[in-house]
PDB file of all heavy atoms in Angstrom:
ATOM      1  N   TRP A 241      13.949  11.774   9.293  1.00 85.00           N
ATOM      2  CA  TRP A 241      14.496  10.479   8.885  1.00 85.00           C
ATOM      3  C   TRP A 241      13.915  10.131   7.523  1.00 85.00           C
ATOM      4  O   TRP A 241      12.723  10.299   7.294  1.00 85.00           O
ATOM      5  CB  TRP A 241      14.147   9.403   9.912  1.00 85.00           C
ATOM      6  CG  TRP A 241      14.822   9.631  11.222  1.00 85.00           C
ATOM      7  CD1 TRP A 241      14.443  10.461  12.222  1.00 85.00           C
ATOM      8  CD2 TRP A 241      16.034   9.013  11.659  1.00 85.00           C
ATOM      9  NE1 TRP A 241      15.331  10.417  13.267  1.00 85.00           N
ATOM     10  CE2 TRP A 241      16.316   9.531  12.954  1.00 85.00           C
ATOM     11  CE3 TRP A 241      16.891   8.082  11.104  1.00 85.00           C
ATOM     12  CZ2 TRP A 241      17.440   9.132  13.675  1.00 85.00           C
ATOM     13  CZ3 TRP A 241      18.010   7.683  11.830  1.00 85.00           C
ATOM     14  CH2 TRP A 241      18.273   8.209  13.093  1.00 85.00           C
ATOM     15  N   SER A 242      14.755   9.647   6.622  1.00 91.00           N
ATOM     16  CA  SER A 242      14.326   9.386   5.247  1.00 91.00           C
ATOM     17  C   SER A 242      14.573   7.935   4.866  1.00 91.00           C
ATOM     18  O   SER A 242      15.578   7.338   5.268  1.00 91.00           O
ATOM     19  CB  SER A 242      15.066  10.299   4.262  1.00 91.00           C
ATOM     20  OG  SER A 242      14.798  11.654   4.541  1.00 91.00           O
ATOM     21  N   CYS A 243      13.636   7.403   4.099  1.00 93.00           N
ATOM     22  CA  CYS A 243      13.805   6.076   3.476  1.00 93.00           C
ATOM     23  C   CYS A 243      13.905   6.282   1.969  1.00 93.00           C
ATOM     24  O   CYS A 243      13.021   6.902   1.362  1.00 93.00           O
ATOM     25  CB  CYS A 243      12.622   5.172   3.823  1.00 93.00           C
ATOM     26  SG  CYS A 243      12.692   3.548   3.025  1.00 93.00           S
ATOM     27  N   VAL A 244      14.974   5.776   1.379  1.00 94.00           N
ATOM     28  CA  VAL A 244      15.213   5.906  -0.053  1.00 94.00           C
ATOM     29  C   VAL A 244      15.180   4.508  -0.677  1.00 94.00           C
ATOM     30  O   VAL A 244      15.927   3.621  -0.250  1.00 94.00           O
ATOM     31  CB  VAL A 244      16.575   6.576  -0.340  1.00 94.00           C
ATOM     32  CG1 VAL A 244      16.786   6.719  -1.839  1.00 94.00           C
ATOM     33  CG2 VAL A 244      16.654   7.925   0.356  1.00 94.00           C
ATOM     34  N   VAL A 245      14.314   4.331  -1.662  1.00 95.00           N
ATOM     35  CA  VAL A 245      14.247   3.065  -2.403  1.00 95.00           C
ATOM     36  C   VAL A 245      14.740   3.351  -3.816  1.00 95.00           C
ATOM     37  O   VAL A 245      14.211   4.233  -4.499  1.00 95.00           O
ATOM     38  CB  VAL A 245      12.817   2.502  -2.432  1.00 95.00           C
ATOM     39  CG1 VAL A 245      12.808   1.115  -3.071  1.00 95.00           C
ATOM     40  CG2 VAL A 245      12.243   2.440  -1.021  1.00 95.00           C
ATOM     41  N   ARG A 246      15.755   2.604  -4.246  1.00 94.00           N
ATOM     42  CA  ARG A 246      16.474   2.950  -5.479  1.00 94.00           C
ATOM     43  C   ARG A 246      16.505   1.789  -6.459  1.00 94.00           C
ATOM     44  O   ARG A 246      16.791   0.646  -6.084  1.00 94.00           O
ATOM     45  CB  ARG A 246      17.896   3.372  -5.125  1.00 94.00           C
ATOM     46  CG  ARG A 246      18.789   3.715  -6.311  1.00 94.00           C
ATOM     47  CD  ARG A 246      20.160   4.121  -5.828  1.00 94.00           C
ATOM     48  NE  ARG A 246      20.089   5.291  -4.948  1.00 94.00           N
ATOM     49  CZ  ARG A 246      21.047   5.633  -4.105  1.00 94.00           C
ATOM     50  NH1 ARG A 246      22.141   4.896  -4.004  1.00 94.00           N
ATOM     51  NH2 ARG A 246      20.912   6.718  -3.347  1.00 94.00           N
ATOM     52  N   ASN A 247      16.205   2.097  -7.719  1.00 93.00           N
ATOM     53  CA  ASN A 247      16.368   1.149  -8.818  1.00 93.00           C
ATOM     54  C   ASN A 247      17.673   1.502  -9.526  1.00 93.00           C
ATOM     55  O   ASN A 247      17.721   2.473 -10.290  1.00 93.00           O
ATOM     56  CB  ASN A 247      15.187   1.231  -9.788  1.00 93.00           C
ATOM     57  CG  ASN A 247      15.230   0.146 -10.851  1.00 93.00           C
ATOM     58  OD1 ASN A 247      16.299  -0.251 -11.299  1.00 93.00           O
ATOM     59  ND2 ASN A 247      14.072  -0.326 -11.268  1.00 93.00           N
ATOM     60  N   SER A 248      18.719   0.747  -9.253  1.00 90.00           N
ATOM     61  CA  SER A 248      20.025   1.044  -9.825  1.00 90.00           C
ATOM     62  C   SER A 248      20.060   0.825 -11.335  1.00 90.00           C
ATOM     63  O   SER A 248      20.850   1.462 -12.033  1.00 90.00           O
ATOM     64  CB  SER A 248      21.098   0.184  -9.142  1.00 90.00           C
ATOM     65  OG  SER A 248      20.801  -1.192  -9.277  1.00 90.00           O
ATOM     66  N   ARG A 249      19.175  -0.034 -11.834  1.00 91.00           N
ATOM     67  CA  ARG A 249      19.160  -0.304 -13.276  1.00 91.00           C
ATOM     68  C   ARG A 249      18.683   0.918 -14.060  1.00 91.00           C
ATOM     69  O   ARG A 249      19.198   1.232 -15.131  1.00 91.00           O
ATOM     70  CB  ARG A 249      18.277  -1.519 -13.566  1.00 91.00           C
ATOM     71  CG  ARG A 249      18.192  -1.902 -15.033  1.00 91.00           C
ATOM     72  CD  ARG A 249      17.474  -3.236 -15.210  1.00 91.00           C
ATOM     73  NE  ARG A 249      18.323  -4.352 -14.776  1.00 91.00           N
ATOM     74  CZ  ARG A 249      17.956  -5.628 -14.854  1.00 91.00           C
ATOM     75  NH1 ARG A 249      16.746  -5.944 -15.311  1.00 91.00           N
ATOM     76  NH2 ARG A 249      18.775  -6.583 -14.459  1.00 91.00           N
ATOM     77  N   LEU A 250      17.681   1.620 -13.517  1.00 89.00           N
ATOM     78  CA  LEU A 250      17.164   2.831 -14.160  1.00 89.00           C
ATOM     79  C   LEU A 250      17.787   4.099 -13.601  1.00 89.00           C
ATOM     80  O   LEU A 250      17.506   5.191 -14.105  1.00 89.00           O
ATOM     81  CB  LEU A 250      15.636   2.904 -13.980  1.00 89.00           C
ATOM     82  CG  LEU A 250      14.799   1.843 -14.682  1.00 89.00           C
ATOM     83  CD1 LEU A 250      13.323   2.022 -14.330  1.00 89.00           C
ATOM     84  CD2 LEU A 250      14.990   1.927 -16.191  1.00 89.00           C
ATOM     85  N   ASN A 251      18.579   3.938 -12.542  1.00 89.00           N
ATOM     86  CA  ASN A 251      19.139   5.093 -11.841  1.00 89.00           C
ATOM     87  C   ASN A 251      18.022   6.034 -11.386  1.00 89.00           C
ATOM     88  O   ASN A 251      18.129   7.261 -11.522  1.00 89.00           O
ATOM     89  CB  ASN A 251      20.140   5.837 -12.734  1.00 89.00           C
ATOM     90  CG  ASN A 251      21.027   6.782 -11.931  1.00 89.00           C
ATOM     91  OD1 ASN A 251      21.250   6.568 -10.734  1.00 89.00           O
ATOM     92  ND2 ASN A 251      21.513   7.827 -12.575  1.00 89.00           N
ATOM     93  N   GLN A 252      16.961   5.453 -10.848  1.00 91.00           N
ATOM     94  CA  GLN A 252      15.833   6.212 -10.328  1.00 91.00           C
ATOM     95  C   GLN A 252      15.580   5.800  -8.882  1.00 91.00           C
ATOM     96  O   GLN A 252      15.880   4.678  -8.490  1.00 91.00           O
ATOM     97  CB  GLN A 252      14.571   5.970 -11.162  1.00 91.00           C
ATOM     98  CG  GLN A 252      14.658   6.457 -12.591  1.00 91.00           C
ATOM     99  CD  GLN A 252      13.409   6.154 -13.383  1.00 91.00           C
ATOM    100  OE1 GLN A 252      12.492   5.495 -12.901  1.00 91.00           O
ATOM    101  NE2 GLN A 252      13.357   6.655 -14.603  1.00 91.00           N
ATOM    102  N   GLU A 253      15.030   6.724  -8.109  1.00 91.00           N
ATOM    103  CA  GLU A 253      14.757   6.412  -6.719  1.00 91.00           C
ATOM    104  C   GLU A 253      13.523   7.164  -6.240  1.00 91.00           C
ATOM    105  O   GLU A 253      13.102   8.154  -6.843  1.00 91.00           O
ATOM    106  CB  GLU A 253      15.953   6.759  -5.835  1.00 91.00           C
ATOM    107  CG  GLU A 253      16.310   8.235  -5.829  1.00 91.00           C
ATOM    108  CD  GLU A 253      17.556   8.523  -4.999  1.00 91.00           C
ATOM    109  OE1 GLU A 253      18.471   7.657  -4.947  1.00 91.00           O
ATOM    110  OE2 GLU A 253      17.608   9.619  -4.396  1.00 91.00           O
ATOM    111  N   GLN A 254      12.937   6.660  -5.156  1.00 92.00           N
ATOM    112  CA  GLN A 254      11.815   7.290  -4.482  1.00 92.00           C
ATOM    113  C   GLN A 254      12.215   7.516  -3.029  1.00 92.00           C
ATOM    114  O   GLN A 254      12.837   6.646  -2.409  1.00 92.00           O
ATOM    115  CB  GLN A 254      10.571   6.390  -4.540  1.00 92.00           C
ATOM    116  CG  GLN A 254      10.077   6.074  -5.951  1.00 92.00           C
ATOM    117  CD  GLN A 254       9.103   7.116  -6.461  1.00 92.00           C
ATOM    118  OE1 GLN A 254       9.103   8.253  -5.999  1.00 92.00           O
ATOM    119  NE2 GLN A 254       8.259   6.740  -7.383  1.00 92.00           N
ATOM    120  N   GLU A 255      11.864   8.679  -2.486  1.00 91.00           N
ATOM    121  CA  GLU A 255      12.277   9.016  -1.122  1.00 91.00           C
ATOM    122  C   GLU A 255      11.111   9.624  -0.355  1.00 91.00           C
ATOM    123  O   GLU A 255      10.338  10.406  -0.904  1.00 91.00           O
ATOM    124  CB  GLU A 255      13.452   9.997  -1.144  1.00 91.00           C
ATOM    125  CG  GLU A 255      13.938  10.421   0.230  1.00 91.00           C
ATOM    126  CD  GLU A 255      15.171  11.304   0.175  1.00 91.00           C
ATOM    127  OE1 GLU A 255      15.736  11.469  -0.939  1.00 91.00           O
ATOM    128  OE2 GLU A 255      15.568  11.836   1.226  1.00 91.00           O
ATOM    129  N   THR A 256      10.985   9.232   0.908  1.00 89.00           N
ATOM    130  CA  THR A 256       9.988   9.803   1.806  1.00 89.00           C
ATOM    131  C   THR A 256      10.646  10.073   3.152  1.00 89.00           C
ATOM    132  O   THR A 256      11.457   9.272   3.629  1.00 89.00           O
ATOM    133  CB  THR A 256       8.797   8.848   1.989  1.00 89.00           C
ATOM    134  OG1 THR A 256       8.192   8.600   0.719  1.00 89.00           O
ATOM    135  CG2 THR A 256       7.751   9.458   2.913  1.00 89.00           C
ATOM    136  N   SER A 257      10.298  11.213   3.765  1.00 86.00           N
ATOM    137  CA  SER A 257      10.876  11.596   5.056  1.00 86.00           C
ATOM    138  C   SER A 257       9.805  11.612   6.131  1.00 86.00           C
ATOM    139  O   SER A 257       8.615  11.773   5.846  1.00 86.00           O
ATOM    140  CB  SER A 257      11.540  12.980   4.963  1.00 86.00           C
ATOM    141  OG  SER A 257      12.598  12.963   4.021  1.00 86.00           O
ATOM    142  N   LEU A 258      10.249  11.437   7.356  1.00 82.00           N
ATOM    143  CA  LEU A 258       9.346  11.401   8.501  1.00 82.00           C
ATOM    144  C   LEU A 258       9.995  12.123   9.669  1.00 82.00           C
ATOM    145  O   LEU A 258      11.155  11.878  10.002  1.00 82.00           O
ATOM    146  CB  LEU A 258       9.036   9.949   8.888  1.00 82.00           C
ATOM    147  CG  LEU A 258       8.183   9.732  10.142  1.00 82.00           C
ATOM    148  CD1 LEU A 258       6.771  10.224   9.905  1.00 82.00           C
ATOM    149  CD2 LEU A 258       8.175   8.260  10.527  1.00 82.00           C
ATOM    150  N   HIS A 259       9.241  13.022  10.285  1.00 77.00           N
ATOM    151  CA  HIS A 259       9.705  13.691  11.499  1.00 77.00           C
ATOM    152  C   HIS A 259       8.987  13.078  12.699  1.00 77.00           C
ATOM    153  O   HIS A 259       7.763  13.048  12.745  1.00 77.00           O
ATOM    154  CB  HIS A 259       9.405  15.196  11.433  1.00 77.00           C
ATOM    155  CG  HIS A 259       9.877  15.935  12.654  1.00 77.00           C
ATOM    156  ND1 HIS A 259      11.191  16.312  12.834  1.00 77.00           N
ATOM    157  CD2 HIS A 259       9.203  16.340  13.764  1.00 77.00           C
ATOM    158  CE1 HIS A 259      11.307  16.930  13.990  1.00 77.00           C
ATOM    159  NE2 HIS A 259      10.130  16.967  14.576  1.00 77.00           N
TER     160      HIS A 259
END
Side-chain angles (χ1 to χ4, degrees):
W241 293 82
S242 299
C243 177
V244 181
V245 186
R246 178 180 300 161
N247 187 326
S248 58
R249 180 171 287 182
L250 294 177
N251 196 26
Q252 295 178 355
E253 62 183 33
Q254 299 272 23
E255 179 175 352
T256 300
S257 299
L258 175 68
H259 181 80

